[in-house]
Amino acid sequence: MFFSEVVLVKKGALARVWLAAHWEKKLSKTQFLQANIQSSVGAIVGDGQEPMALRLSGQLLLGVVRIYSRKARYLLEDCTEALVKIKMAFRPGIVNLPDDQAVANLNAITMADTLTEFDILLHEPAFTFE
């Protein structure tokens, strides 16, 4: 057999990966989110490891892919929820301003032109269109 005892240990580095490959429903959301894909792939394909059977390494890589897929799904759900909340917060037509304040005063939204010493000494570039 071409596998290490590390794979068979319940608390080993590849235990969650193996569970994801075979019993995906047994893992909770927090276990999926805590799984480190880089270290799992390093434990499967690493140079310092004993050679594994092709079937076992394929099953473990399937577990890595399922963990990655579930993480991507959770990220998509979180982003969709955030987008819906942002759209609800900034939906058009719902403004609770009095009618007299619906249009801003010109002086309130424009800045006055002020010249400083730096602006006076600054050389303006000449544009030539030839």
Side-chain angles (χ1 to χ4, degrees), residues 63-82:
V64 169
V65 168
R66 286 188 176 167
I67 289 172
Y68 182 78
S69 172
R70 188 72 69 94
K71 281 185 171 188
R73 185 184 321 155
Y74 291 145
L75 178 64
L76 177 65
E77 289 172 1
D78 290 344
C79 290
T80 305
E81 181 183 345

Side-chain angles (χ1 to χ4, degrees), residues 30-80:
T30 56
Q31 289 175 330
F32 273 108
L33 293 176
Q34 289 174 352
N36 189 352
I37 294 175
Q38 290 179 340
S39 65
S40 299
V41 171
I44 296 169
V45 188
D47 293 332
Q49 299 290 336
E50 296 178 15
M52 281 189 214
L54 185 59
R55 180 177 179 145
L56 178 63
S57 62
Q59 289 172 348
L60 291 174
L61 288 174
L62 172 67
V64 169
V65 168
R66 286 188 176 167
I67 289 172
Y68 182 78
S69 172
R70 188 72 69 94
K71 281 185 171 188
R73 185 184 321 155
Y74 291 145
L75 178 64
L76 177 65
E77 289 172 1
D78 290 344
C79 290
T80 305

Side-chain angles (χ1 to χ4, degrees), residues 2 7 9 11 21 29-30 43 58 64 78 95 97 105-106 113 119 124:
F2 293 107
V7 177
V9 178
K11 302 288 182 180
K29 181 177 180 177
T30 56
V64 169
D78 290 344
V95 179
L97 284 175
N105 187 4
L106 183 64
D113 283 335
D119 292 332
E124 292 185 18

Side-chain angles (χ1 to χ4, degrees), residues 76-105:
L76 177 65
E77 289 172 1
D78 290 344
C79 290
T80 305
E81 181 183 345
L83 181 65
V84 167
K85 287 181 180 179
I86 289 171
K87 284 184 177 181
M88 292 296 288
F90 296 108
R91 62 181 178 248
I94 300 176
V95 179
N96 53 0
L97 284 175
D99 290 334
D100 60 338
Q101 293 181 352
V103 178
N105 187 4

